[in-house]
Amino acid sequence: MIIVTRIGVTEEEIDHIRERVESLGLRTHLSRGESRTIIGCIGDEERLQNVPLLSIPGVESVHPVMRPYKLAAKEFSARDTRIALGEVELGGSELVVVAGPCSVEGEEMLMQTARSVKASGARALRGGAFKPRTSPYSFRGMEESGLELLAAARVASGLPVVTEVMDTRQVEAVAGHADVLQVGARNMQNYALLTEVGRVHRPVLLKRGLSATIQDLLLAAEYVMKQGNMNVILCERGIRTFETATRNTFDVSAIPVLKSETHLPVLADPSHAGGYRYLVAPLAYAAVAAGADGLLVEVHPTPETALSDGDQSLDFDEFGTLMEALAPFVAAAGRTLAPREQPAET
Ligand code: PEP
Ligand code: MN
Protein backbone atom coordinates (compact mmCIF):
# COMPACT_ATOMS: atom_id res chain seq x y z
CA MET A 1 0.00 0.00 0.00
CA ILE A 2 1.31 3.45 -0.85
CA ILE A 3 0.04 6.45 1.09
CA VAL A 4 0.45 9.89 -0.48
CA THR A 5 0.28 12.79 1.94
CA ARG A 6 -1.28 16.16 1.21
CA ILE A 7 0.78 19.25 0.43
CA GLY A 8 2.03 20.88 3.62
CA VAL A 9 1.62 17.77 5.78
CA THR A 10 3.20 18.29 9.22
CA GLU A 11 5.86 16.08 10.83
CA GLU A 12 3.36 15.20 13.59
CA GLU A 13 0.87 14.04 11.00
CA ILE A 14 3.50 11.91 9.24
CA ASP A 15 4.49 10.35 12.55
CA HIS A 16 0.86 9.62 13.35
CA ILE A 17 0.26 7.96 9.96
CA ARG A 18 3.35 5.79 10.44
CA GLU A 19 2.36 4.83 13.98
CA ARG A 20 -1.10 3.85 12.79
CA VAL A 21 0.29 1.62 10.01
CA GLU A 22 3.05 0.14 12.16
CA SER A 23 0.59 -0.65 14.96
CA LEU A 24 -1.00 -3.10 12.50
CA GLY A 25 2.27 -4.99 12.04
CA LEU A 26 3.55 -3.36 8.86
CA ARG A 27 6.75 -1.43 8.33
CA THR A 28 6.84 1.99 6.68
CA HIS A 29 9.24 3.60 4.28
CA LEU A 30 9.36 7.39 3.75
CA SER A 31 10.13 9.09 0.49
CA ARG A 32 10.22 12.88 0.81
CA GLY A 33 9.43 14.99 -2.25
CA GLU A 34 9.35 18.78 -2.71
CA SER A 35 5.90 19.19 -1.26
CA ARG A 36 4.60 15.73 -0.52
CA THR A 37 5.80 12.68 1.31
CA ILE A 38 5.11 9.17 0.11
CA ILE A 39 4.74 6.51 2.78
CA GLY A 40 5.32 2.99 1.51
CA CYS A 41 3.71 0.33 3.71
CA ILE A 42 5.60 -2.95 3.69
CA GLY A 43 3.97 -6.17 4.86
CA ASP A 44 0.60 -7.87 4.72
CA GLU A 45 -1.58 -5.40 2.83
CA GLU A 46 -4.73 -7.26 3.82
CA ARG A 47 -4.37 -5.91 7.37
CA LEU A 48 -4.96 -2.41 6.02
CA GLN A 49 -7.97 -3.33 3.95
CA ASN A 50 -10.59 -2.31 6.49
CA VAL A 51 -8.71 0.65 7.94
CA PRO A 52 -10.17 4.02 6.82
CA LEU A 53 -6.74 5.40 5.91
CA LEU A 54 -8.18 8.38 4.04
CA SER A 55 -9.62 9.70 7.28
CA ILE A 56 -6.20 9.99 8.96
CA PRO A 57 -5.15 13.67 9.02
CA GLY A 58 -2.55 14.43 6.35
CA VAL A 59 -3.46 11.56 4.01
CA GLU A 60 -4.41 12.63 0.49
CA SER A 61 -4.67 9.32 -1.35
CA VAL A 62 -4.07 5.62 -0.88
CA HIS A 63 -2.89 3.22 -3.60
CA PRO A 64 -3.00 -0.54 -3.15
CA VAL A 65 0.01 -2.29 -4.65
CA MET A 66 -1.35 -5.78 -4.57
CA ARG A 67 -4.55 -6.76 -6.30
CA PRO A 68 -7.60 -7.05 -4.04
CA TYR A 69 -8.36 -10.48 -5.50
CA LYS A 70 -5.91 -13.28 -4.83
CA LEU A 71 -7.30 -16.67 -5.83
CA ALA A 72 -8.50 -15.24 -9.15
CA ALA A 73 -5.24 -13.40 -9.87
CA LYS A 74 -3.07 -14.64 -12.73
CA GLU A 75 -0.09 -15.10 -10.37
CA PHE A 76 -2.06 -17.49 -8.19
CA SER A 77 -1.89 -20.31 -10.69
CA ALA A 78 1.09 -21.68 -12.58
CA ARG A 79 -1.10 -22.24 -15.64
CA ASP A 80 -4.45 -21.04 -16.92
CA THR A 81 -7.43 -22.89 -15.47
CA ARG A 82 -9.10 -25.40 -17.74
CA ILE A 83 -12.61 -26.51 -16.99
CA ALA A 84 -13.95 -29.80 -18.29
CA LEU A 85 -17.17 -29.38 -20.22
CA GLY A 86 -18.34 -32.72 -21.57
CA GLU A 87 -15.81 -33.82 -24.15
CA VAL A 88 -13.77 -30.61 -24.16
CA GLU A 89 -11.90 -28.30 -21.85
CA LEU A 90 -12.85 -24.67 -21.62
CA GLY A 91 -9.67 -22.60 -21.49
CA GLY A 92 -7.74 -25.02 -23.69
CA SER A 93 -6.91 -24.76 -27.36
CA GLU A 94 -10.47 -25.20 -28.62
CA LEU A 95 -12.82 -22.24 -28.85
CA VAL A 96 -15.83 -23.67 -27.02
CA VAL A 97 -19.30 -22.60 -28.14
CA VAL A 98 -22.26 -22.92 -25.77
CA ALA A 99 -25.61 -22.42 -27.50
CA GLY A 100 -29.32 -22.72 -26.88
CA PRO A 101 -32.46 -20.78 -26.13
CA CYS A 102 -32.67 -17.91 -23.73
CA SER A 103 -35.45 -19.80 -21.91
CA VAL A 104 -36.48 -23.41 -21.86
CA GLU A 105 -40.00 -23.19 -23.30
CA GLY A 106 -40.91 -26.85 -23.78
CA GLU A 107 -39.59 -30.30 -24.55
CA GLU A 108 -39.80 -30.27 -28.33
CA MET A 109 -38.07 -26.92 -28.85
CA LEU A 110 -35.31 -27.85 -26.40
CA MET A 111 -34.61 -31.26 -27.96
CA GLN A 112 -34.63 -29.81 -31.48
CA THR A 113 -32.27 -27.04 -30.42
CA ALA A 114 -29.91 -29.43 -28.64
CA ARG A 115 -29.69 -31.68 -31.73
CA SER A 116 -29.22 -28.80 -34.11
CA VAL A 117 -26.61 -26.80 -32.19
CA LYS A 118 -24.66 -30.00 -31.52
CA ALA A 119 -24.62 -30.82 -35.24
CA SER A 120 -23.29 -27.31 -35.91
CA GLY A 121 -20.44 -27.71 -33.41
CA ALA A 122 -21.74 -26.42 -30.06
CA ARG A 123 -20.14 -28.23 -27.12
CA ALA A 124 -22.78 -27.42 -24.49
CA LEU A 125 -26.46 -26.51 -24.36
CA ARG A 126 -27.65 -23.37 -22.62
CA GLY A 127 -31.22 -22.55 -21.54
CA GLY A 128 -32.81 -20.78 -18.61
CA ALA A 129 -35.35 -22.50 -16.38
CA PHE A 130 -35.35 -19.63 -13.87
CA LYS A 131 -35.33 -16.32 -15.73
CA PRO A 132 -34.41 -12.93 -14.28
CA ARG A 133 -36.72 -10.56 -16.13
CA THR A 134 -36.74 -6.79 -15.84
CA SER A 135 -40.54 -6.82 -15.70
CA PRO A 136 -42.33 -9.14 -13.27
CA TYR A 137 -45.05 -9.53 -15.95
CA SER A 138 -42.67 -11.14 -18.46
CA PHE A 139 -42.26 -14.93 -18.82
CA ARG A 140 -40.08 -16.00 -15.89
CA GLY A 141 -39.23 -19.52 -16.93
CA MET A 142 -40.57 -23.05 -16.48
CA GLU A 143 -38.67 -23.40 -13.19
CA GLU A 144 -38.32 -27.00 -11.87
CA SER A 145 -39.99 -28.55 -14.89
CA GLY A 146 -37.52 -26.63 -17.09
CA LEU A 147 -34.66 -28.19 -15.12
CA GLU A 148 -36.08 -31.63 -15.79
CA LEU A 149 -36.29 -30.90 -19.51
CA LEU A 150 -32.68 -29.75 -19.48
CA ALA A 151 -31.58 -32.93 -17.75
CA ALA A 152 -33.49 -34.97 -20.35
CA ALA A 153 -31.93 -32.95 -23.21
CA ARG A 154 -28.54 -33.62 -21.71
CA VAL A 155 -29.12 -37.37 -21.76
CA ALA A 156 -30.61 -37.32 -25.26
CA SER A 157 -27.95 -35.11 -26.85
CA GLY A 158 -24.89 -35.91 -24.76
CA LEU A 159 -24.30 -32.16 -24.38
CA PRO A 160 -23.56 -30.78 -20.92
CA VAL A 161 -26.08 -28.13 -19.87
CA VAL A 162 -25.62 -24.62 -18.54
CA THR A 163 -28.50 -22.98 -16.71
CA GLU A 164 -29.05 -20.02 -14.43
CA VAL A 165 -29.51 -20.14 -10.68
CA MET A 166 -31.10 -16.98 -9.29
CA ASP A 167 -31.53 -17.72 -5.63
CA THR A 168 -29.68 -19.57 -2.86
CA ARG A 169 -32.80 -21.74 -2.39
CA GLN A 170 -32.45 -23.07 -5.96
CA VAL A 171 -28.77 -24.03 -5.81
CA GLU A 172 -29.30 -27.64 -4.80
CA ALA A 173 -31.98 -28.32 -7.42
CA VAL A 174 -30.04 -26.60 -10.22
CA ALA A 175 -26.80 -28.38 -9.27
CA GLY A 176 -28.73 -31.65 -9.30
CA HIS A 177 -29.76 -31.18 -12.94
CA ALA A 178 -27.13 -29.03 -14.64
CA ASP A 179 -23.42 -29.33 -15.40
CA VAL A 180 -22.67 -25.61 -15.08
CA LEU A 181 -24.43 -23.08 -12.82
CA GLN A 182 -24.88 -19.68 -14.42
CA VAL A 183 -24.97 -16.61 -12.17
CA GLY A 184 -26.58 -13.89 -14.26
CA ALA A 185 -25.55 -10.28 -14.69
CA ARG A 186 -28.21 -9.03 -12.27
CA ASN A 187 -26.94 -11.37 -9.57
CA MET A 188 -23.20 -10.84 -10.03
CA GLN A 189 -23.02 -9.04 -6.70
CA ASN A 190 -25.48 -11.26 -4.84
CA TYR A 191 -22.89 -12.31 -2.28
CA ALA A 192 -25.10 -14.87 -0.57
CA LEU A 193 -25.63 -16.60 -3.91
CA LEU A 194 -21.92 -16.42 -4.81
CA THR A 195 -21.07 -17.99 -1.47
CA GLU A 196 -23.61 -20.76 -1.96
CA VAL A 197 -22.49 -21.68 -5.50
CA GLY A 198 -18.95 -21.69 -4.13
CA ARG A 199 -19.90 -24.65 -1.97
CA VAL A 200 -21.07 -26.95 -4.76
CA HIS A 201 -18.94 -29.06 -7.05
CA ARG A 202 -20.13 -27.62 -10.32
CA PRO A 203 -18.40 -25.01 -12.46
CA VAL A 204 -19.94 -21.54 -12.19
CA LEU A 205 -20.47 -19.31 -15.21
CA LEU A 206 -20.35 -15.80 -13.82
CA LYS A 207 -21.73 -13.03 -16.03
CA ARG A 208 -20.47 -9.50 -15.69
CA GLY A 209 -22.96 -7.18 -14.03
CA LEU A 210 -24.55 -4.41 -16.07
CA SER A 211 -22.54 -1.74 -14.29
CA ALA A 212 -19.72 -3.83 -12.87
CA THR A 213 -16.08 -2.98 -13.41
CA ILE A 214 -13.64 -5.72 -14.35
CA GLN A 215 -12.37 -5.60 -10.78
CA ASP A 216 -15.92 -6.04 -9.44
CA LEU A 217 -16.27 -9.12 -11.65
CA LEU A 218 -12.99 -10.59 -10.41
CA LEU A 219 -13.95 -9.93 -6.80
CA ALA A 220 -17.28 -11.68 -7.40
CA ALA A 221 -15.30 -14.67 -8.75
CA GLU A 222 -13.14 -14.46 -5.62
CA TYR A 223 -16.26 -14.95 -3.46
CA VAL A 224 -17.00 -18.23 -5.23
CA MET A 225 -13.38 -19.39 -5.14
CA LYS A 226 -12.95 -18.52 -1.49
CA GLN A 227 -15.52 -21.25 -0.69
CA GLY A 228 -13.35 -23.81 -2.45
CA ASN A 229 -14.94 -23.86 -5.91
CA MET A 230 -12.09 -22.84 -8.21
CA ASN A 231 -13.97 -23.61 -11.43
CA VAL A 232 -15.28 -20.20 -12.35
CA ILE A 233 -15.90 -19.14 -15.95
CA LEU A 234 -16.11 -15.39 -16.51
CA CYS A 235 -18.43 -13.95 -19.14
CA GLU A 236 -18.38 -10.53 -20.79
CA ARG A 237 -21.97 -9.89 -21.84
CA GLY A 238 -22.00 -6.14 -22.41
CA ILE A 239 -22.34 -3.31 -19.94
CA ARG A 240 -24.82 -0.46 -19.68
CA THR A 241 -23.64 2.82 -21.16
CA PHE A 242 -25.27 5.93 -22.65
CA GLU A 243 -25.45 4.20 -26.06
CA THR A 244 -28.94 3.16 -27.13
CA ALA A 245 -28.24 1.67 -30.59
CA THR A 246 -27.32 -1.62 -28.94
CA ARG A 247 -28.94 -3.37 -25.97
CA ASN A 248 -25.66 -3.12 -24.05
CA THR A 249 -22.16 -1.99 -24.99
CA PHE A 250 -19.89 -4.94 -25.71
CA ASP A 251 -16.68 -4.24 -23.78
CA VAL A 252 -14.30 -6.10 -26.06
CA SER A 253 -11.30 -4.78 -24.16
CA ALA A 254 -12.50 -6.62 -21.04
CA ILE A 255 -11.48 -9.86 -22.74
CA PRO A 256 -7.71 -9.19 -23.05
CA VAL A 257 -7.73 -7.38 -19.69
CA LEU A 258 -9.27 -10.44 -18.02
CA LYS A 259 -6.92 -12.78 -19.86
CA SER A 260 -3.97 -10.87 -18.45
CA GLU A 261 -5.41 -10.41 -14.93
CA THR A 262 -6.69 -13.90 -14.24
CA HIS A 263 -6.06 -17.57 -14.95
CA LEU A 264 -9.83 -18.20 -15.27
CA PRO A 265 -11.38 -18.91 -18.68
CA VAL A 266 -13.27 -16.08 -20.37
CA LEU A 267 -16.44 -16.41 -22.43
CA ALA A 268 -18.15 -13.72 -24.47
CA ASP A 269 -21.90 -13.44 -24.98
CA PRO A 270 -22.52 -11.54 -28.22
CA SER A 271 -26.30 -12.12 -27.98
CA HIS A 272 -26.94 -10.09 -24.82
CA ALA A 273 -24.17 -7.62 -25.65
CA GLY A 274 -25.70 -6.50 -28.94
CA GLY A 275 -29.34 -7.37 -28.40
CA TYR A 276 -30.02 -7.84 -32.14
CA ARG A 277 -29.52 -10.84 -34.39
CA TYR A 278 -27.42 -8.93 -36.95
CA LEU A 279 -24.87 -8.01 -34.26
CA VAL A 280 -24.23 -11.53 -33.01
CA ALA A 281 -21.76 -12.54 -35.75
CA PRO A 282 -19.60 -9.38 -35.79
CA LEU A 283 -19.39 -9.30 -32.00
CA ALA A 284 -18.53 -13.01 -31.95
CA TYR A 285 -15.69 -12.43 -34.44
CA ALA A 286 -14.39 -9.55 -32.33
CA ALA A 287 -14.52 -11.69 -29.17
CA VAL A 288 -12.55 -14.49 -30.80
CA ALA A 289 -9.97 -12.04 -32.13
CA ALA A 290 -9.65 -10.50 -28.65
CA GLY A 291 -8.79 -13.87 -27.14
CA ALA A 292 -12.05 -15.23 -25.71
CA ASP A 293 -11.96 -18.92 -24.78
CA GLY A 294 -15.52 -19.45 -25.91
CA LEU A 295 -18.89 -17.98 -26.84
CA LEU A 296 -22.38 -18.12 -25.35
CA VAL A 297 -24.95 -17.75 -28.13
CA GLU A 298 -28.75 -17.70 -27.99
CA VAL A 299 -30.40 -20.00 -30.53
CA HIS A 300 -34.13 -20.69 -30.93
CA PRO A 301 -36.03 -22.84 -33.46
CA THR A 302 -38.31 -19.88 -34.31
CA PRO A 303 -36.97 -16.65 -32.81
CA GLU A 304 -40.16 -14.77 -33.72
CA THR A 305 -42.15 -16.88 -31.25
CA ALA A 306 -39.51 -16.90 -28.48
CA LEU A 307 -40.85 -16.08 -25.01
CA SER A 308 -37.66 -14.15 -24.17
CA ASP A 309 -34.86 -12.50 -26.14
CA GLY A 310 -36.20 -13.46 -29.59
CA ASP A 311 -34.70 -10.38 -31.26
CA GLN A 312 -31.19 -11.48 -30.40
CA SER A 313 -31.67 -15.22 -30.99
CA LEU A 314 -30.35 -16.96 -34.10
CA ASP A 315 -32.38 -19.67 -35.83
CA PHE A 316 -30.72 -23.00 -36.63
CA ASP A 317 -29.52 -21.99 -40.09
CA GLU A 318 -28.14 -18.70 -38.83
CA PHE A 319 -26.26 -20.50 -36.08
CA GLY A 320 -24.82 -22.98 -38.59
CA THR A 321 -23.72 -20.09 -40.80
CA LEU A 322 -22.12 -18.36 -37.81
CA MET A 323 -20.14 -21.47 -36.91
CA GLU A 324 -18.80 -21.70 -40.46
CA ALA A 325 -18.02 -18.00 -40.64
CA LEU A 326 -16.16 -18.17 -37.31
CA ALA A 327 -13.62 -20.67 -38.65
CA PRO A 328 -11.08 -18.19 -40.12
CA PHE A 329 -11.25 -15.99 -36.99
CA VAL A 330 -10.71 -19.01 -34.77
CA ALA A 331 -7.76 -20.15 -36.89
CA ALA A 332 -6.26 -16.64 -36.88
CA ALA A 333 -6.51 -16.62 -33.08
CA GLY A 334 -4.51 -19.86 -33.03
CA ARG A 335 -7.38 -22.02 -31.82
CA THR A 336 -9.52 -24.84 -33.08
CA LEU A 337 -13.27 -25.26 -33.44
CA ALA A 338 -15.31 -28.44 -33.02
CA PRO A 339 -15.91 -30.24 -36.31
CA ARG A 340 -19.44 -30.00 -37.68
CA GLU A 341 -21.39 -33.23 -37.98
CA GLN A 342 -21.81 -34.33 -41.58
CA PRO A 343 -25.49 -34.33 -42.60
CA ALA A 344 -26.82 -37.90 -42.96
CA GLU A 345 -26.82 -39.23 -46.56
CA THR A 346 -30.27 -39.33 -48.13
C1 PEP B 1 -29.23 -15.07 -20.17
O1 PEP B 1 -28.13 -15.62 -20.34
O2 PEP B 1 -30.27 -15.41 -20.76
C2 PEP B 1 -29.28 -13.89 -19.27
C3 PEP B 1 -30.38 -13.56 -18.63
O3 PEP B 1 -28.12 -13.23 -19.26
P1 PEP B 1 -27.63 -11.91 -18.45
O4 PEP B 1 -27.64 -12.32 -17.02
O5 PEP B 1 -26.27 -11.68 -19.02
O6 PEP B 1 -28.61 -10.81 -18.78
MN1 MN C 1 -31.39 -14.18 -22.67
Side-chain angles (χ1 to χ4, degrees):
M1 189 80 77
I2 292 169
I3 298 174
V4 179
T5 62
R6 63 171 174 74
I7 294 172
V9 65
T10 65
E11 284 307 313
E12 288 73 29
E13 283 172 336
I14 291 175
D15 288 346
H16 178 64
I17 298 167
R18 294 184 79 174
E19 276 161 23
R20 195 74 185 84
V21 171
E22 286 170 8
S23 72
L24 294 160
L26 288 92
R27 284 183 295 125
T28 56
H29 174 267
L30 280 201
S31 167
R32 291 183 189 275
E34 292 267 305
S35 53
R36 282 194 172 82
T37 296
I38 308 288
I39 305 175
C41 308
I42 306 149
D44 183 3
E45 200 165 288
E46 225 161 88
R47 295 187 187 187
L48 295 177
Q49 223 153 39
N50 298 318
V51 181
L53 295 170
L54 284 172
S55 66
I56 304 178
V59 174
E60 185 181 89
S61 58
V62 172
H63 306 269
V65 177
M66 281 171 55
R67 292 180 169 75
Y69 40 88
K70 301 214 172 343
L71 305 173
K74 189 92 173 168
E75 304 78 49
F76 183 80
S77 177
R79 62 166 215 162
D80 283 351
T81 294
R82 295 179 180 199
I83 297 177
L85 200 57
E87 289 171 19
V88 284
E89 273 187 331
L90 187 54
S93 57
E94 182 175 319
L95 180 100
V96 176
V97 179
V98 180
C102 178
S103 303
V104 175
E105 298 172 6
E107 184 173 0
E108 188 54 24
M109 65 80 74
L110 190 64
M111 294 296 176
Q112 279 178 2
T113 309
R115 273 195 299 274
S116 178
V117 298
K118 185 181 182 191
S120 296
R123 292 296 201 173
L125 176 68
R126 61 144 291 149
F130 296 97
K131 294 304 302 178
R133 302 304 301 278
T134 304
S135 163
Y137 303 110
S138 302
F139 173 64
R140 290 160 70 189
M142 292 181 69
E143 305 184 338
E144 277 80 8
S145 55
L147 290 181
E148 274 154 32
L149 293 181
L150 282 165
R154 173 173 180 260
V155 174
S157 67
L159 289 178
V161 304
V162 179
T163 196
E164 179 157 356
V165 54
M166 285 172 51
D167 191 298
T168 52
R169 291 166 294 184
Q170 297 158 356
V171 171
E172 210 182 306
V174 174
H177 290 82
D179 297 273
V180 177
L181 275 55
Q182 176 172 319
V183 173
R186 290 157 193 81
N187 261 322
M188 191 208 82
Q189 285 176 311
N190 178 340
Y191 299 117
L193 183 60
L194 296 174
T195 302
E196 214 49 43
V197 297
R199 294 190 177 135
V200 299
H201 299 285
R202 289 263 183 266
V204 172
L205 194 166
L206 181 60
K207 300 189 88 176
R208 181 176 180 185
L210 276 69
S211 58
T213 63
I214 293 171
Q215 181 166 303
D216 294 338
L217 173 62
L218 287 166
L219 284 169
E222 192 82 6
Y223 262 89
V224 179
M225 299 170 88
K226 193 162 175 279
Q227 296 303 316
N229 187 348
M230 303 299 275
N231 288 327
V232 180
I233 304 157
L234 303 171
C235 182
E236 163 57 37
R237 46 79 72 207
I239 48 175
R240 187 159 280 184
T241 69
F242 50 82
E243 183 54 71
T244 55
T246 50
R247 182 177 179 188
N248 292 289
T249 295
F250 183 44
D251 182 8
V252 72
S253 51
I255 298 166
V257 171
L258 286 169
K259 292 298 293 177
S260 79
E261 285 293 305
T262 178
H263 53 88
L264 298 172
V266 178
L267 284 189
D269 173 348
S271 308
H272 290 86
Y276 301 102
R277 198 166 314 144
Y278 81 97
L279 291 171
V280 176
L283 299 187
Y285 306 152
V288 172
D293 296 301
L295 299 170
L296 189 65
V297 181
E298 286 189 336
V299 178
H300 191 284
T302 49
E304 68 170 66
T305 67
L307 297 180
S308 60
D309 289 349
D311 288 342
Q312 65 193 32
S313 299
L314 304 183
D315 66 21
F316 297 161
D317 286 343
E318 288 165 336
F319 180 67
T321 305
L322 169 68
M323 292 298 280
E324 272 175 22
L326 273 175
F329 294 92
V330 173
R335 305 187 94 121
T336 59
L337 199 56
R340 304 191 65 189
E341 281 173 14
Q342 294 306 313
E345 301 262 330
T346 50

